Amino acid sequence: MRRAAGFSGSQLSHYFATKESLVRAVIDWQAESVLGFHRSERFAGFDTIEAYQEWADFFVVSGRPFENGCSLGSLASEIVKTDLDVRDDLTRVFAE
């Protein structure tokens, strides 16, 4: 994977001391991507049925950007299969 991405192991270990720190960074990045989308100015609040309808319409018209499921949920399902101690991180982002 490192070769395909074009970086060396030393570059990776420079930024991430452990595999868990790398996975935590990926969790945070993916959470920000998903949550940032839903918290954007366009979907700032679901305080009316019209706001919810606009959000739902966006998904129908936009080609369903999450039609293959939630990327954060997919990431979590893969991570929980490992022995990494990142469940608290996943719990935190799902709570958000």
Side-chain angles (χ1 to χ4, degrees), residues 58-71:
F58 172 80
F59 278 93
V60 172
V61 173
S62 69
R64 298 180 181 100
F66 299 109
E67 74 180 29
N68 293 324
C70 173
S71 55

mmCIF file with all atom_site columns, all heavy atoms in Angstrom, residues 58-71:
data_model
loop_
_atom_site.group_PDB
_atom_site.id
_atom_site.type_symbol
_atom_site.label_atom_id
_atom_site.label_alt_id
_atom_site.label_comp_id
_atom_site.label_asym_id
_atom_site.label_entity_id
_atom_site.label_seq_id
_atom_site.pdbx_PDB_ins_code
_atom_site.Cartn_x
_atom_site.Cartn_y
_atom_site.Cartn_z
_atom_site.occupancy
_atom_site.B_iso_or_equiv
_atom_site.pdbx_formal_charge
_atom_site.auth_seq_id
_atom_site.auth_comp_id
_atom_site.auth_asym_id
_atom_site.auth_atom_id
_atom_site.pdbx_PDB_model_num
ATOM 1   N N   . PHE A 1 58 ? -31.739 16.560 -1.913 1.00 0.00 ? 58 PHE A N   1
ATOM 2   C CA  . PHE A 1 58 ? -30.356 16.641 -2.356 1.00 0.00 ? 58 PHE A CA  1
ATOM 3   C C   . PHE A 1 58 ? -29.820 15.249 -2.670 1.00 0.00 ? 58 PHE A C   1
ATOM 4   O O   . PHE A 1 58 ? -29.158 15.037 -3.680 1.00 0.00 ? 58 PHE A O   1
ATOM 5   C CB  . PHE A 1 58 ? -29.478 17.312 -1.302 1.00 0.00 ? 58 PHE A CB  1
ATOM 6   C CG  . PHE A 1 58 ? -28.023 17.236 -1.634 1.00 0.00 ? 58 PHE A CG  1
ATOM 7   C CD1 . PHE A 1 58 ? -27.460 18.117 -2.544 1.00 0.00 ? 58 PHE A CD1 1
ATOM 8   C CD2 . PHE A 1 58 ? -27.211 16.267 -1.064 1.00 0.00 ? 58 PHE A CD2 1
ATOM 9   C CE1 . PHE A 1 58 ? -26.122 18.039 -2.874 1.00 0.00 ? 58 PHE A CE1 1
ATOM 10  C CE2 . PHE A 1 58 ? -25.873 16.175 -1.390 1.00 0.00 ? 58 PHE A CE2 1
ATOM 11  C CZ  . PHE A 1 58 ? -25.332 17.065 -2.301 1.00 0.00 ? 58 PHE A CZ  1
ATOM 12  N N   . PHE A 1 59 ? -30.109 14.289 -1.814 1.00 0.00 ? 59 PHE A N   1
ATOM 13  C CA  . PHE A 1 59 ? -29.613 12.935 -2.036 1.00 0.00 ? 59 PHE A CA  1
ATOM 14  C C   . PHE A 1 59 ? -30.202 12.303 -3.285 1.00 0.00 ? 59 PHE A C   1
ATOM 15  O O   . PHE A 1 59 ? -29.516 11.604 -4.022 1.00 0.00 ? 59 PHE A O   1
ATOM 16  C CB  . PHE A 1 59 ? -29.883 12.054 -0.812 1.00 0.00 ? 59 PHE A CB  1
ATOM 17  C CG  . PHE A 1 59 ? -28.849 12.240 0.241  1.00 0.00 ? 59 PHE A CG  1
ATOM 18  C CD1 . PHE A 1 59 ? -29.035 13.153 1.251  1.00 0.00 ? 59 PHE A CD1 1
ATOM 19  C CD2 . PHE A 1 59 ? -27.667 11.526 0.205  1.00 0.00 ? 59 PHE A CD2 1
ATOM 20  C CE1 . PHE A 1 59 ? -28.072 13.347 2.214  1.00 0.00 ? 59 PHE A CE1 1
ATOM 21  C CE2 . PHE A 1 59 ? -26.694 11.721 1.156  1.00 0.00 ? 59 PHE A CE2 1
ATOM 22  C CZ  . PHE A 1 59 ? -26.890 12.630 2.166  1.00 0.00 ? 59 PHE A CZ  1
ATOM 23  N N   . VAL A 1 60 ? -31.458 12.552 -3.553 1.00 0.00 ? 60 VAL A N   1
ATOM 24  C CA  . VAL A 1 60 ? -32.102 11.993 -4.738 1.00 0.00 ? 60 VAL A CA  1
ATOM 25  C C   . VAL A 1 60 ? -31.534 12.630 -5.998 1.00 0.00 ? 60 VAL A C   1
ATOM 26  O O   . VAL A 1 60 ? -31.168 11.949 -6.954 1.00 0.00 ? 60 VAL A O   1
ATOM 27  C CB  . VAL A 1 60 ? -33.630 12.176 -4.663 1.00 0.00 ? 60 VAL A CB  1
ATOM 28  C CG1 . VAL A 1 60 ? -34.290 11.777 -5.975 1.00 0.00 ? 60 VAL A CG1 1
ATOM 29  C CG2 . VAL A 1 60 ? -34.195 11.366 -3.501 1.00 0.00 ? 60 VAL A CG2 1
ATOM 30  N N   . VAL A 1 61 ? -31.405 13.941 -6.007 1.00 0.00 ? 61 VAL A N   1
ATOM 31  C CA  . VAL A 1 61 ? -30.949 14.676 -7.185 1.00 0.00 ? 61 VAL A CA  1
ATOM 32  C C   . VAL A 1 61 ? -29.441 14.519 -7.417 1.00 0.00 ? 61 VAL A C   1
ATOM 33  O O   . VAL A 1 61 ? -28.977 14.474 -8.548 1.00 0.00 ? 61 VAL A O   1
ATOM 34  C CB  . VAL A 1 61 ? -31.316 16.178 -7.060 1.00 0.00 ? 61 VAL A CB  1
ATOM 35  C CG1 . VAL A 1 61 ? -30.711 17.004 -8.170 1.00 0.00 ? 61 VAL A CG1 1
ATOM 36  C CG2 . VAL A 1 61 ? -32.823 16.331 -7.035 1.00 0.00 ? 61 VAL A CG2 1
ATOM 37  N N   . SER A 1 62 ? -28.674 14.391 -6.361 1.00 0.00 ? 62 SER A N   1
ATOM 38  C CA  . SER A 1 62 ? -27.215 14.410 -6.489 1.00 0.00 ? 62 SER A CA  1
ATOM 39  C C   . SER A 1 62 ? -26.604 13.085 -6.904 1.00 0.00 ? 62 SER A C   1
ATOM 40  O O   . SER A 1 62 ? -25.393 12.978 -7.018 1.00 0.00 ? 62 SER A O   1
ATOM 41  C CB  . SER A 1 62 ? -26.592 14.827 -5.158 1.00 0.00 ? 62 SER A CB  1
ATOM 42  O OG  . SER A 1 62 ? -26.787 13.794 -4.212 1.00 0.00 ? 62 SER A OG  1
ATOM 43  N N   . GLY A 1 63 ? -27.394 12.078 -7.116 1.00 0.00 ? 63 GLY A N   1
ATOM 44  C CA  . GLY A 1 63 ? -26.824 10.790 -7.469 1.00 0.00 ? 63 GLY A CA  1
ATOM 45  C C   . GLY A 1 63 ? -26.458 9.972  -6.249 1.00 0.00 ? 63 GLY A C   1
ATOM 46  O O   . GLY A 1 63 ? -25.656 9.052  -6.314 1.00 0.00 ? 63 GLY A O   1
ATOM 47  N N   . ARG A 1 64 ? -27.019 10.347 -5.121 1.00 0.00 ? 64 ARG A N   1
ATOM 48  C CA  . ARG A 1 64 ? -26.843 9.588  -3.876 1.00 0.00 ? 64 ARG A CA  1
ATOM 49  C C   . ARG A 1 64 ? -25.364 9.389  -3.530 1.00 0.00 ? 64 ARG A C   1
ATOM 50  O O   . ARG A 1 64 ? -24.813 8.318  -3.715 1.00 0.00 ? 64 ARG A O   1
ATOM 51  C CB  . ARG A 1 64 ? -27.563 8.260  -3.977 1.00 0.00 ? 64 ARG A CB  1
ATOM 52  C CG  . ARG A 1 64 ? -29.045 8.424  -4.172 1.00 0.00 ? 64 ARG A CG  1
ATOM 53  C CD  . ARG A 1 64 ? -29.710 7.061  -4.277 1.00 0.00 ? 64 ARG A CD  1
ATOM 54  N NE  . ARG A 1 64 ? -31.125 7.225  -4.475 1.00 0.00 ? 64 ARG A NE  1
ATOM 55  C CZ  . ARG A 1 64 ? -31.722 7.130  -5.657 1.00 0.00 ? 64 ARG A CZ  1
ATOM 56  N NH1 . ARG A 1 64 ? -31.041 6.869  -6.733 1.00 0.00 ? 64 ARG A NH1 1
ATOM 57  N NH2 . ARG A 1 64 ? -33.022 7.291  -5.738 1.00 0.00 ? 64 ARG A NH2 1
ATOM 58  N N   . PRO A 1 65 ? -24.716 10.412 -3.006 1.00 0.00 ? 65 PRO A N   1
ATOM 59  C CA  . PRO A 1 65 ? -23.277 10.328 -2.725 1.00 0.00 ? 65 PRO A CA  1
ATOM 60  C C   . PRO A 1 65 ? -22.902 9.244  -1.719 1.00 0.00 ? 65 PRO A C   1
ATOM 61  O O   . PRO A 1 65 ? -21.767 8.806  -1.686 1.00 0.00 ? 65 PRO A O   1
ATOM 62  C CB  . PRO A 1 65 ? -22.932 11.717 -2.185 1.00 0.00 ? 65 PRO A CB  1
ATOM 63  C CG  . PRO A 1 65 ? -24.231 12.274 -1.712 1.00 0.00 ? 65 PRO A CG  1
ATOM 64  C CD  . PRO A 1 65 ? -25.279 11.686 -2.595 1.00 0.00 ? 65 PRO A CD  1
ATOM 65  N N   . PHE A 1 66 ? -23.837 8.788  -0.941 1.00 0.00 ? 66 PHE A N   1
ATOM 66  C CA  . PHE A 1 66 ? -23.541 7.739  0.042  1.00 0.00 ? 66 PHE A CA  1
ATOM 67  C C   . PHE A 1 66 ? -24.287 6.448  -0.280 1.00 0.00 ? 66 PHE A C   1
ATOM 68  O O   . PHE A 1 66 ? -24.606 5.679  0.600  1.00 0.00 ? 66 PHE A O   1
ATOM 69  C CB  . PHE A 1 66 ? -23.895 8.225  1.458  1.00 0.00 ? 66 PHE A CB  1
ATOM 70  C CG  . PHE A 1 66 ? -23.116 9.440  1.861  1.00 0.00 ? 66 PHE A CG  1
ATOM 71  C CD1 . PHE A 1 66 ? -23.728 10.676 1.958  1.00 0.00 ? 66 PHE A CD1 1
ATOM 72  C CD2 . PHE A 1 66 ? -21.758 9.355  2.117  1.00 0.00 ? 66 PHE A CD2 1
ATOM 73  C CE1 . PHE A 1 66 ? -23.009 11.799 2.321  1.00 0.00 ? 66 PHE A CE1 1
ATOM 74  C CE2 . PHE A 1 66 ? -21.029 10.475 2.483  1.00 0.00 ? 66 PHE A CE2 1
ATOM 75  C CZ  . PHE A 1 66 ? -21.655 11.696 2.577  1.00 0.00 ? 66 PHE A CZ  1
ATOM 76  N N   . GLU A 1 67 ? -24.567 6.199  -1.563 1.00 0.00 ? 67 GLU A N   1
ATOM 77  C CA  . GLU A 1 67 ? -25.379 5.037  -1.909 1.00 0.00 ? 67 GLU A CA  1
ATOM 78  C C   . GLU A 1 67 ? -24.709 3.713  -1.571 1.00 0.00 ? 67 GLU A C   1
ATOM 79  O O   . GLU A 1 67 ? -25.371 2.694  -1.447 1.00 0.00 ? 67 GLU A O   1
ATOM 80  C CB  . GLU A 1 67 ? -25.820 5.079  -3.361 1.00 0.00 ? 67 GLU A CB  1
ATOM 81  C CG  . GLU A 1 67 ? -24.751 4.774  -4.367 1.00 0.00 ? 67 GLU A CG  1
ATOM 82  C CD  . GLU A 1 67 ? -25.270 4.847  -5.787 1.00 0.00 ? 67 GLU A CD  1
ATOM 83  O OE1 . GLU A 1 67 ? -26.204 5.607  -6.059 1.00 0.00 ? 67 GLU A OE1 1
ATOM 84  O OE2 . GLU A 1 67 ? -24.732 4.134  -6.631 1.00 0.00 ? 67 GLU A OE2 1
ATOM 85  N N   . ASN A 1 68 ? -23.403 3.697  -1.430 1.00 0.00 ? 68 ASN A N   1
ATOM 86  C CA  . ASN A 1 68 ? -22.717 2.469  -1.037 1.00 0.00 ? 68 ASN A CA  1
ATOM 87  C C   . ASN A 1 68 ? -22.590 2.364  0.474  1.00 0.00 ? 68 ASN A C   1
ATOM 88  O O   . ASN A 1 68 ? -21.792 1.590  0.982  1.00 0.00 ? 68 ASN A O   1
ATOM 89  C CB  . ASN A 1 68 ? -21.333 2.399  -1.690 1.00 0.00 ? 68 ASN A CB  1
ATOM 90  C CG  . ASN A 1 68 ? -21.437 2.238  -3.196 1.00 0.00 ? 68 ASN A CG  1
ATOM 91  O OD1 . ASN A 1 68 ? -22.331 1.562  -3.685 1.00 0.00 ? 68 ASN A OD1 1
ATOM 92  N ND2 . ASN A 1 68 ? -20.556 2.883  -3.928 1.00 0.00 ? 68 ASN A ND2 1
ATOM 93  N N   . GLY A 1 69 ? -23.369 3.144  1.172  1.00 0.00 ? 69 GLY A N   1
ATOM 94  C CA  . GLY A 1 69 ? -23.346 3.135  2.628  1.00 0.00 ? 69 GLY A CA  1
ATOM 95  C C   . GLY A 1 69 ? -22.530 4.290  3.160  1.00 0.00 ? 69 GLY A C   1
ATOM 96  O O   . GLY A 1 69 ? -21.894 5.037  2.424  1.00 0.00 ? 69 GLY A O   1
ATOM 97  N N   . CYS A 1 70 ? -22.563 4.407  4.449  1.00 0.00 ? 70 CYS A N   1
ATOM 98  C CA  . CYS A 1 70 ? -21.817 5.463  5.123  1.00 0.00 ? 70 CYS A CA  1
ATOM 99  C C   . CYS A 1 70 ? -20.338 5.090  5.150  1.00 0.00 ? 70 CYS A C   1
ATOM 100 O O   . CYS A 1 70 ? -19.967 4.025  5.652  1.00 0.00 ? 70 CYS A O   1
ATOM 101 C CB  . CYS A 1 70 ? -22.354 5.627  6.550  1.00 0.00 ? 70 CYS A CB  1
ATOM 102 S SG  . CYS A 1 70 ? -21.394 6.770  7.555  1.00 0.00 ? 70 CYS A SG  1
ATOM 103 N N   . SER A 1 71 ? -19.508 5.949  4.618  1.00 0.00 ? 71 SER A N   1
ATOM 104 C CA  . SER A 1 71 ? -18.071 5.649  4.587  1.00 0.00 ? 71 SER A CA  1
ATOM 105 C C   . SER A 1 71 ? -17.490 5.541  5.991  1.00 0.00 ? 71 SER A C   1
ATOM 106 O O   . SER A 1 71 ? -16.583 4.748  6.239  1.00 0.00 ? 71 SER A O   1
ATOM 107 C CB  . SER A 1 71 ? -17.322 6.691  3.758  1.00 0.00 ? 71 SER A CB  1
ATOM 108 O OG  . SER A 1 71 ? -17.594 7.989  4.246  1.00 0.00 ? 71 SER A OG  1
#
